[in-house]
């Protein structure tokens, strides 16, 4: 098992998620400049939530984030905040450009993809648990 664990006041943890946000109507609006700006926004937002943006990239109609987070963070609220803050700031800074694609103040779809990920597979974890010493 991995030894890259974070330590909290009463916890030791390693929580990582893969998140995908898709642009509204799959419009191809993400330029390299917008992607760079999103990277900065997501990084700063993660820091405020005591999380870490491990990796970020994207294409013209979606972005991928790999984030490590603290167990005290409610993931759904954190993701909602990432979407809200990034949408508001991108729409503010690229208003004229985005007006060509959207009439309303939107950037992301209402949905998102999230998957947990880590250093071991479920099969490895099952074997680890199965091979624990049991009291007799």
């Amino acid at each position: 098992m991995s030894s890259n664990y974070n330590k909290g006041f009463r916890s030791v943890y390693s929580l990582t998620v893969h998140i995908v946000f898709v642009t509204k109507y799959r419009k191809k609006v993400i330029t390299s400049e917008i992607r760079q700006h999103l990277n900065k926004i997501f990084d700063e937002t993660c820091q405020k939530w005591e999380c870490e943006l491990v990796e970020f990239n994207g294409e013209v109609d979606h972005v991928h984030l790999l984030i490590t987070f603290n167990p005290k963070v409610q993931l759904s609220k954190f993701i909602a905040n990432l979407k809200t803050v990034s949408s508001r700031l991108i729409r503010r800074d690229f208003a004229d450009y985005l007006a060509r694609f959207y009439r309303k103040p939107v950037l992301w779809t209402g949905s998102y993809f999230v998957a947990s990920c880590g250093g071991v597979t479920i099969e490895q974890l099952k074997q680890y648990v199965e091979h624990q010493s049991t009291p007799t």
Side-chain angles (χ1 to χ4, degrees):
M1 301 233 323
S2 174
S3 62
N4 296 329
Y5 295 115
N6 297 307
K7 293 182 176 140
F9 178 61
R10 293 187 177 191
S11 61
V12 178
Y13 60 92
S14 175
L15 300 170
T16 306
V17 289
H18 172 213
I19 302 169
V20 179
F21 297 148
V22 178
T23 59
K24 188 82 168 178
Y25 310 120
R26 277 269 198 202
K27 297 281 187 179
K28 299 177 184 331
V29 299
I30 301 174
T31 63
S32 63
E33 186 180 0
I34 288 176
R35 193 173 61 244
Q36 289 172 359
H37 202 56
L38 283 168
N39 191 3
K40 183 177 180 231
I41 292 166
F42 289 137
D43 188 47
E44 290 171 357
T45 304
C46 284
Q47 289 176 27
K48 289 177 185 173
W49 281 75
E50 298 178 38
C51 300
E52 181 187 356
L53 181 63
V54 177
E55 190 66 46
F56 171 80
N57 210 338
E59 295 182 19
V60 292
D61 62 354
H62 69 279
V63 295
H64 294 264
L65 300 92
L66 190 60
I67 295 174
T68 59
F69 67 101
N70 191 306
K72 69 182 179 183
V73 169
Q74 187 175 344
L75 195 54
S76 61
K77 286 185 179 181
F78 172 59
I79 290 172
N81 188 255
L82 284 171
K83 288 176 71 175
T84 301
V85 170
S86 62
S87 178
R88 181 175 40 82
L89 295 177
I90 293 297
R91 286 184 288 110
R92 180 195 70 192
D93 297 342
F94 298 91
D96 294 337
Y97 171 71
L98 291 175
R100 296 187 293 183
F101 300 93
Y102 301 116
R103 288 187 202 163
K104 296 182 180 181
V106 296
L107 179 61
W108 306 118
T109 63
S111 58
Y112 59 86
F113 168 84
V114 63
S116 60
C117 46
V120 297
T121 66
I122 299 231
E123 205 48 51
Q124 290 171 317
L125 200 52
K126 282 171 67 176
Q127 287 178 3
Y128 176 77
V129 172
E130 285 173 2
H131 291 95
Q132 293 297 299
S133 300
T134 53
T136 54

